[in-house]
Amino acid sequence: MNSSLIRCQRVTKEDYEKVMAIYPSSEIAYGGDYLPDYFHMLIDMPNNEMYAAVIEDKFVGFTLMTTVDDGESVVTRAVRVSKEYAGQGIAGIMLKWMNKGEPLYRPEVIWHRIAGNRIHSPLLQLINKGKYNKTSEHDYRYYDTHKGPLQIKYSVIGQANQSLKAEYIDVNLLGQVLASPDHKQFLFPEDEIVVDQVPYSAIQSNAHLMVTERTTVVVSDLNCPQRTLLSISNVREASIGMMINFNVYGSLSENIREHLILHFAKFLCKSKSDYILLRCISGKGINLTLLDMAVKEFGFKKTEFYGTGLVVGRRKIAYKLE
């Protein structure tokens, strides 16, 4: 590929159709692609920047960069290249361009971070080669059901559980939890939290970046850090149906049932899809037996989907070490 034929440019709202045309969304993550539903929300957030690789007037590559950690880290959140130009170095050209002239060059940026699927991501190869350091690893557990049966189950279970120990918390209280040394040692022992596939340092200032219009945060036993359970869900509509990223942190207890009641209450009335896929994301090796039992009450069944877990890595920006 002659790199002189390619130019990189900032993506705007008006480029939505061009971005979606780069690669068929239905073929990404088995129909679980988040970008069609998230595009306009993400591009309106000041810490997100989207860029395209362009040949003539055609978008042939795309990347989404998210700035976190008080500006010290930039996360590559998405990379895609059109089938026509696959294997021709488009992604590498974009990364090189960003290192020199866009998000990664900024003087305050120290780290480049990536979260990748444990099976399908090239991140593992980069970690094995020593180009990135692994900072954390997370397990996936998938469950699925359909909207009608879930609504019936939810109505029955919700009516029987009017008094809940679990509660919603807002972005300010989430920030306090992230800032609490007492809670951090039990919830985020690696000093890192992953929300909706984006890795963040467990610091207070990141809370307002984690919570979007699609986010619900629930906590129980907040006054006892050893027993605190924190759950965060993000919901999107995809080709396959409604997908829920459900992150759990802390001590998994019977309270997980109450957490699910509160999370389901937020999205069930808004769901446009009949099929619902719940992806639980937990720390590696956490026993999810209690979650299995709880979701079964709501009519969910275990299923297989895209990958078995998430790996997070980071590297220092190379030119700043020279």
Side-chain angles (χ1 to χ4, degrees), residues 166-169 216-220 229-232 259 262-263:
E167 60 182 332
Y168 297 115
I169 62 172
T216 301
V217 186
V218 177
V219 71
S220 55
L229 176 62
L230 176 73
S231 60
I232 305 176
H259 282 240
L262 294 178
H263 284 283

Side-chain angles (χ1 to χ4, degrees), residues 200-244:
Y200 304 84
S201 296
I203 57 177
Q204 186 170 8
S205 58
N206 277 328
H208 77 281
L209 303 179
M210 299 175 192
V211 178
T212 73
E213 62 193 53
R214 308 297 184 88
T215 309
T216 301
V217 186
V218 177
V219 71
S220 55
D221 287 317
L222 190 57
N223 293 327
C224 181
Q226 267 186 296
R227 295 181 57 192
T228 298
L229 176 62
L230 176 73
S231 60
I232 305 176
S233 67
N234 284 275
V235 180
R236 67 177 183 268
E237 299 282 354
S239 297
I240 193 173
M242 171 167 274
M243 292 196 65
I244 309 158

Side-chain angles (χ1 to χ4, degrees), residues 6-11 49-53 63 65 90-105:
I6 301 172
R7 73 178 192 278
C8 295
Q9 67 182 55
R10 185 80 175 259
V11 169
E49 300 173 30
M50 301 181 184
Y51 296 91
T63 189
M65 311 294 281
I90 298 290
I93 289 170
M94 294 188 72
L95 180 58
K96 185 177 180 180
W97 177 78
M98 288 182 203
N99 265 303
K100 293 183 176 180
E102 284 299 332
L104 299 180
Y105 89 97

Side-chain angles (χ1 to χ4, degrees), residues 256-310:
I256 189 64
R257 189 167 177 263
E258 298 185 0
H259 282 240
L260 291 170
I261 290 172
L262 294 178
H263 284 283
F264 293 163
K266 289 290 188 179
F267 75 81
L268 260 178
C269 61
K270 301 176 183 177
S271 175
K272 300 176 184 177
S273 303
D274 176 59
Y275 180 73
I276 296 175
L277 181 68
L278 174 68
R279 171 166 58 188
C280 176
I281 306 169
S282 65
K284 186 172 173 58
I286 289 180
N287 188 333
L288 295 177
T289 301
L290 291 173
L291 178 63
D292 291 340
M293 296 169 59
V295 296
K296 187 176 180 180
E297 286 188 62
F298 289 94
F300 282 89
K301 296 180 181 178
K302 282 187 187 179
T303 188
E304 301 292 328
F305 194 60
Y306 186 71
T308 62
L310 193 73

